[in-house]
């Protein structure tokens, strides 16, 4: 509403806003704030308060304020090492999801609408199965005497079983399977809004198909890449069931350490300190990423 | 889009405002309806649950339903006759009569779920319900949930089963009621399991499990064989947690089982270095080892004894080497501020009676905590029980106090050792 009045201003300098109009503006503003109240309250109660409690708890030892938990995280090698593993796995999963998801989303956005519905459902099918069942299914496929190794050996491609599980490969396969829809859906949503005539126009002006893709389509799909990548990355670094069941000794993720502190050691203060540490590192990474890729476009600011 | 004439603009804006308000009203109305529907639905659901009087975990028509408020104890006894799931013998436990002393009261108890819950229900929860008239609702144990219930002073659980060191740790953190050993009779219990806040409820062991097809004649005899990569071939697996792997490493290094504690941590890690890269799977869940062994993924692996006996009885080519196993126990606890603590103490006493403990061991291969239970058991059952005198001699017991004191630092070192 405010924008309509402002639009008027520059063209006609003699125009003075009617006081009735101003009252109306205020009412509008108040009513909009009123609508926000519910969301703000929900966020405050369900998000701001718990996070504040977690951060506050992380500075407590036996009820008194202390930085010792953070000192322990920094001084004991294990925590930084596990954090590094966690971030590495997060990046790897994001990258693979992007490489697999981008062509898939491109294809989805190109087929007729009728087919899109069916194909989107297929993309979502993994969500319908329990997470644990999917992980165990991969174990049956990938283990030493599993289905895939049986094929490889009967085709004579390899004489020894290939170790595809209990190492990084197992973790990546399991996690990419779970995460792929989170990459495909935002990419698809952005791609479907891109006017294909722009590509035709580019080609009409002499661009090769690859040039048209690289210089027109790819930049326009960047918001989707940014949104999908951030989503997948943030979800990945909180994972622990798949790495626990399909990973090797060097694939411990930080959520596993937090869980051990919460359930086994019952040291919640330290658990919250690890969680806060992870939160800070994540915020920094997302901020840097934001700077590079310009994620604000996702939220529809400067178009 | 907006009109240029100020009067028209004002009218336009008024109209927009009116439309907005109408939409807002519709929105609020919809919200109110949704809210009413949710609340109404919940109330309805609650009424229905009240009518059915169903315990959340009671899957079928067990005695939970028959022993409701309006069904007195003598009534309940009739009902059991046609209920094949209730263990009649367990209503004849010494010291307990069908007196309905807790008639009309309800407690929530927790265990680890699965097969163990079904067994506890048949041999302990339901018989205790019938004898005393108390209604028992089942839930699943969770140490973190217990702590949050106590800290928020909103405790639902009257009795909760926990791991051994977890139970004692919860006690040390002030999360548990002290156990009332006037009600819980300690005579005849195995020694060393009656902590102030946590009483052992069953024994279990971490043992070597092996594939019988890989080792048809000459099974691995102990940890020295597990460490002997040249002469005892096969893919190996260990539990991804320092307890009890450090014990096993020291035994492999030649430390006698009686002198394990206090653990020589440096020596243990040195010994573990020898096999670290040869361990194919560092398992996390108790269900993994029997699966891995049965699939032929692993040939030799540490495992929890109950899971292996189960899988072997189901026909899988797996067996246990009891020699040099590591034995420990789970515990009964009562959360601090629990409702009906006196019923909880009575139930703990009931569950630790020799008759109940013996029946538990018959159903699932965990060791009784009452010496008297062994009088009720056959030899073939005893052959699979961790705490049977014969098997106990081959094993060692975990020193929970040592672990409570040093677990943090050892855990960090373990984590680091795995990653490097």
């Amino acid at each position: 509403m405010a924008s309509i009045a402002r639009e008027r201003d520059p063209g006609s300098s003699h125009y003075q806003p009617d006081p009735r109009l101003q009252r109306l503006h205020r009412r509008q503003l108040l009513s909009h704030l009123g609508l926000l109240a519910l969301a703000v309250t929900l966020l405050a109660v369900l998000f701001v308060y718990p996070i504040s409690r977690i951060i506050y708890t992380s500075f407590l030892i036996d009820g008194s304020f202390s930085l010792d938990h953070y000192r322990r995280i920094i001084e004991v090698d294990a925590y930084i090492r596990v954090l590094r593993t966690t971030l590495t796995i997060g990046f790897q999963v994001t990258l693979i999801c992007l490489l697999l998801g981008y062509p898939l989303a491109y294809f989805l956005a190109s087929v007729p609408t009728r087919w899109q519905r069916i194909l989107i459902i297929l993309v979502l099918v993994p969500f319908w199965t329990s997470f644990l069942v999917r992980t165990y299914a991969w174990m049956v496929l990938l283990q030493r005497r599993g289905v895939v190794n049986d094929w490889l050996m009967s085709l004579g491609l390899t004489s020894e079983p290939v170790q595809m599980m209990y190492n990084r490969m197992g973790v990546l396969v399991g996690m990419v399977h779970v995460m792929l829809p989170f990459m495909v859906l935002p990419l698809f949503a952005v791609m479907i809004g891109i006017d294909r005539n722009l590509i035709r126009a580019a080609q009409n002006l002499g661009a090769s198909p690859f040039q048209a893709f690289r210089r027109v389509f790819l930049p326009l799909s960047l918001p989707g890449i940014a949104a999908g990548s951030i989503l997948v990355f943030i979800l990945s670094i909180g994972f622990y069931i798949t790495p626990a069941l399909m990973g090797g000794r060097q694939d411990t993720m930080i959520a596993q350490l937090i869980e051990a502190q919460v359930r086994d050691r019952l040291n919640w203060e330290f658990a919250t300190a690890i969680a806060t540490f992870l939160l800070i590192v994540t915020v920094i990474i997302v901020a840097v990423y934001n700077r590079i890729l310009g994620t604000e476009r996702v939220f529809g600011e400067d178009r | 889009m907006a009109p240029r004439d100020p009067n028209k603009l004002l009218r336009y804006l008024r109209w927009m405002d009116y439309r907005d308000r109408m939409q807002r009203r519709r929105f609020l109305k919809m919200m109110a309806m949704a809210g009413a529907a949710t609340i109404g639905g919940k109330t309805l659901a609650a009424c229905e649950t009240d009518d059915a009087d169903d315990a959340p975990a009671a899957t079928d028509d067990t005695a939970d339903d028959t022993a409701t408020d309006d069904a007195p104890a003598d009534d309940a006894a009739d009902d059991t006759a046609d209920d094949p799931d209730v263990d009649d013998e367990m209503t004849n436990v010494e010291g307990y009569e069908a007196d309905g002393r807790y008639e009309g009261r309800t407690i929530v108890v927790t265990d680890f779920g699965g097969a163990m819950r079904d067994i506890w229900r048949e041999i302990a929860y339901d018989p205790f319900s019938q004898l005393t008239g108390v209604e028992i609702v089942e839930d699943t144990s969770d140490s973190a949930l217990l702590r949050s219930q106590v800290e928020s002073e909103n405790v639902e659980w009257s009795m909760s089963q926990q791991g051994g060191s977890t139970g004692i740790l919860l006690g040390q953190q002030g999360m548990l009621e002290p156990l009332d050993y006037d009600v819980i009779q300690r005579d005849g219990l195995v020694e060393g399991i009656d902590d102030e806040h946590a009483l052992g409820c069953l024994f279990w062991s971490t043992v070597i499990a092996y594939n019988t097809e890989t080792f048809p004649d000459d099974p691995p005899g102990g940890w020295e064989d597990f460490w002997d990569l040249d002469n005892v071939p096969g893919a190996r697996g260990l539990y991804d947690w320092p307890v009890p792997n450090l014990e096993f490493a020291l035994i492999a290094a030649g430390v006698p089982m009686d002198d394990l504690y206090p653990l020589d941590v440096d020596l243990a890690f040195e010994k573990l270095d020898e096999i670290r890269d040869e361990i194919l799977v560092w398992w996390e869940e108790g269900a993994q080892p029997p699966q891995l062994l049965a699939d032929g993924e692993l040939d030799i692996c540490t495992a929890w004894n109950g899971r292996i006996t189960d899988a072997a009885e189901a026909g899988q080519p797996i067996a246990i080497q009891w020699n040099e196993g590591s034995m420990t126990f789970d515990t009964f606890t009562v959360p601090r501020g629990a409702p009906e603590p006196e019923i909880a103490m009575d139930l703990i006493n009931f569950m630790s009676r020799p008759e109940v403990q013996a029946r538990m061991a018959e159903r699932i291969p965990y060791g009784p905590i009452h010496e008297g239970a062994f009088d009720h058991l056959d030899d073939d059952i005893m052959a699979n029980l961790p705490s049977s005198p014969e098997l106990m001699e081959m094993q060692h017991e975990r020193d929970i106090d040592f672990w409570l004191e040093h677990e943090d630092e050892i855990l960090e070192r373990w984590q680091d050792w795995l990653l490097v």
Side-chain angles (χ1 to χ4, degrees):
Chain A
M1 224 71 333
S3 63
I4 292 174
R6 237 187 284 128
E7 259 172 36
R8 285 286 306 135
D9 278 336
S12 48
S13 52
H14 64 276
Y15 172 72
Q16 289 296 317
D18 190 314
R20 292 176 295 174
L21 205 64
Q22 285 181 321
R23 270 206 304 281
L24 204 60
H25 278 167
R26 268 201 299 277
R27 278 227 344 248
Q28 290 274 347
L29 192 69
L30 274 178
S31 71
H32 288 177
L33 282 179
L35 277 179
L36 269 179
L38 185 68
V40 170
T41 320
L42 271 179
L43 267 183
V45 173
L46 298 177
F47 184 73
V48 178
Y49 173 72
I51 292 272
S52 322
R53 263 299 285 272
I54 282 178
I55 294 173
Y56 171 73
T57 311
S58 70
F59 289 106
L60 293 182
I61 286 184
D62 296 331
S64 56
F65 188 86
S66 161
L67 284 172
D68 281 2
H69 293 312
Y70 289 96
R71 192 170 302 139
R72 179 169 159 198
I73 292 174
I74 290 164
E75 280 174 2
V76 178
D77 292 344
Y79 299 103
I80 301 290
R81 280 215 179 90
V82 172
L83 185 71
R84 207 159 54 206
T85 312
T86 308
L87 297 178
T88 311
I89 293 179
F91 280 124
Q92 288 169 335
V93 170
T94 310
L95 192 67
I96 299 173
C97 277
L98 185 60
L99 291 177
L100 293 177
Y102 196 92
L104 179 57
Y106 186 88
F107 172 71
L108 280 176
S110 314
V111 297
T113 327
R114 197 155 41 100
W115 285 101
Q116 266 170 12
R117 294 213 189 101
I118 298 169
L119 292 173
I120 285 280
I121 289 175
L122 287 183
V123 170
L124 290 175
V125 159
F127 283 131
W128 299 351
T129 329
S130 136
F131 182 67
L132 216 57
V133 170
R134 275 183 278 164
T135 304
Y136 272 100
W138 276 116
M139 292 164 74
V140 172
L141 289 174
L142 296 184
Q143 58 192 3
R144 266 200 316 165
R145 298 188 191 178
V147 178
V148 175
N149 264 322
D150 275 357
W151 285 348
L152 288 179
M153 290 194 332
S154 64
L155 289 174
L157 292 175
T158 165
S159 51
E160 286 262 293
V162 182
Q163 193 63 47
M164 291 179 283
M165 245 178 66
Y166 309 116
N167 53 24
R168 184 60 56 84
M169 182 179 167
V171 178
L172 293 181
V173 168
M175 283 178 67
V176 165
H177 181 208
V178 176
M179 290 298 171
L180 201 52
F182 292 106
M183 181 64 87
V184 171
L185 292 181
L187 277 173
F188 171 72
V190 168
M191 284 180 186
I192 203 153
I194 296 175
D195 189 347
R196 293 298 167 112
N197 286 327
L198 295 173
I199 313 279
R200 290 190 198 110
Q203 284 180 324
N204 208 7
L205 293 171
S208 69
F210 177 72
Q211 276 176 321
F213 169 77
R214 200 183 66 82
R215 303 204 31 198
V216 179
F217 192 85
L218 187 66
L220 285 172
S221 67
L222 263 185
I225 297 180
S229 305
I230 287 245
L231 206 57
V232 170
F233 179 74
I234 289 180
L235 287 173
S236 294
I237 55 180
F239 247 54
Y240 81 90
I241 297 180
T242 305
L245 290 177
M246 297 181 69
R249 68 177 164 89
Q250 292 177 315
D251 301 313
T252 306
M253 292 184 72
I254 202 139
Q256 288 168 269
L257 298 192
I258 298 176
E259 207 244 357
Q261 291 298 328
V262 171
R263 274 181 215 285
D264 296 309
R265 300 298 308 145
L266 290 162
N267 188 347
W268 290 10
E269 292 77 14
F270 188 52
T272 55
I274 307 178
T276 308
F277 193 70
L278 177 65
L279 181 70
I280 294 168
V281 173
T282 312
V283 167
I284 293 173
I285 290 173
V286 170
V288 170
Y289 183 85
N290 212 346
R291 258 286 163 74
I292 298 170
L293 256 187
T295 326
E296 67 269 13
R297 279 202 271 177
V298 179
F299 306 109
E301 271 176 36
D302 16 274
R303 257 279 162 80
Chain B
M1 187 178 145
R4 291 200 148 241
D5 173 34
N7 277 322
K8 266 192 186 165
L9 178 66
L10 194 63
R11 267 212 309 278
Y12 172 72
L13 286 175
R14 278 210 174 122
W15 173 72
M16 296 261 294
D17 179 50
Y18 171 76
R19 201 191 56 180
D20 274 12
R21 265 188 291 154
M22 281 301 106
Q23 279 182 352
R24 193 164 65 224
R25 216 165 275 171
R26 211 168 63 191
F27 173 75
L28 288 175
K29 213 153 98 188
M30 271 169 58
M31 289 299 288
M33 274 165 62
T38 319
I39 294 167
K42 281 228 168 112
T43 324
L44 262 179
C47 291
E48 270 168 28
T49 340
D50 277 352
D51 289 346
D53 214 352
D54 220 356
T59 46
D60 50 5
D61 198 18
T62 57
D64 276 344
D65 297 57
T66 59
T68 47
D69 326 357
D70 45 356
D74 45 348
D75 239 73
D78 285 351
D79 287 345
T80 38
D82 34 280
D83 192 339
D85 281 348
V86 174
D87 201 323
D88 284 335
E89 260 179 64
M90 290 302 104
T91 50
N92 295 324
V93 172
E94 209 184 314
Y96 284 85
E97 286 165 28
D99 54 9
R101 58 185 124 157
Y102 304 130
E103 198 61 61
R105 292 156 80 176
T106 305
I107 57 170
V108 182
V109 303
T110 78
D111 51 42
F112 294 107
M116 198 65 221
R117 166 168 307 160
D118 297 338
I119 292 165
W120 281 133
R121 183 188 305 137
E122 286 166 38
I123 68 166
Y125 302 155
D126 284 354
F128 187 76
S129 261
Q130 286 178 26
L131 290 168
T132 64
V134 68
E135 189 188 343
I136 295 182
V137 177
E138 300 154 4
D139 202 349
T140 303
S141 293
D142 182 328
S143 55
L145 202 50
L146 187 149
R147 185 175 158 176
S148 66
Q149 285 189 10
V150 172
E151 287 193 341
S152 62
E153 294 180 5
N154 186 15
V155 182
E156 287 177 13
W157 300 343
S158 293
M159 189 278 280
S160 176
Q161 289 182 40
Q162 296 287 343
S165 60
T166 315
I168 293 168
L169 182 61
L170 281 166
Q172 288 177 358
Q173 291 189 340
M175 299 294 151
L176 301 176
E177 294 282 342
L179 294 178
D180 182 354
Y181 283 113
D182 292 333
V183 176
I184 303 165
Q185 299 160 44
R186 278 190 277 198
D187 299 340
L189 295 187
V190 177
E191 264 179 51
I193 56 167
D194 52 342
D195 179 74
E196 190 190 347
H197 298 96
L199 172 70
C201 66
L202 55 81
F203 281 103
W204 57 276
S205 288
T206 307
V207 290
I208 296 177
Y210 59 91
N211 187 311
T212 50
E213 285 163 3
T214 319
F215 300 101
D217 317 308
D218 193 16
W223 299 109
E224 211 171 312
D225 286 353
F226 192 96
W227 254 256
D228 188 349
L229 300 167
D230 299 328
N231 299 318
V232 184
R236 287 158 160 78
L238 283 178
Y239 185 31
D240 185 4
W241 194 257
V243 198
N245 291 328
L246 266 54
E247 295 172 355
F248 298 153
L250 290 175
I251 296 172
V255 178
M257 276 199 292
D258 296 336
D259 302 334
L260 284 177
Y261 286 94
L263 297 181
D264 182 343
V265 178
D266 291 333
L267 177 60
F269 274 104
E270 222 169 88
K271 191 72 185 169
L272 279 163
D273 280 340
E274 289 175 17
I275 58 164
R276 182 180 65 184
D277 296 332
E278 301 302 320
I279 303 296
L280 182 65
V281 182
W282 299 90
W283 57 274
E284 306 254 353
E285 303 285 336
Q288 281 178 283
Q291 191 63 47
L292 290 164
L293 289 164
D295 287 351
E297 272 304 278
L298 296 181
D299 301 300
I300 169 170
C301 184
T302 55
W304 297 337
N305 73 289
R307 309 266 187 168
I308 299 301
T309 306
D310 265 4
E313 279 171 1
Q316 305 282 13
I318 315 176
I320 291 177
Q321 172 57 268
W322 283 98
N323 192 34
E324 300 174 342
S326 173
M327 189 175 78
T328 190
F329 53 86
D330 285 346
T331 55
F332 296 120
T333 67
V334 178
R336 198 180 76 211
E340 309 278 18
E342 71 281 7
I343 305 183
M345 301 294 170
D346 202 356
L347 177 63
I348 292 174
N349 182 55
F350 184 82
M351 290 173 86
S352 53
R353 290 309 86 211
E355 298 93 329
V356 178
Q357 283 282 320
R359 182 54 61 94
M360 172 200 78
E362 275 173 22
R363 299 286 306 273
I364 197 162
Y366 292 122
I369 48 123
H370 199 293
E371 310 263 12
F374 295 114
D375 303 338
H376 299 259
L377 290 168
D378 301 334
D379 285 349
D380 53 327
I381 300 278
M382 297 268 274
N384 281 319
L385 300 183
S387 63
S388 76
E390 193 188 336
L391 294 182
M392 214 161 169
E393 212 150 277
M394 302 163 76
Q395 310 174 75
H396 59 278
E397 232 186 301
R398 182 180 305 172
D399 184 341
I400 290 177
D401 291 335
F402 174 87
W403 282 105
L404 285 179
E405 196 178 329
H406 300 288
E407 196 166 15
D408 268 336
E409 56 197 271
I410 296 179
L411 189 56
E412 282 168 350
R413 186 163 171 187
W414 172 262
Q415 207 55 66
D416 214 33
W417 175 82
L418 280 178
L419 284 171
V420 175

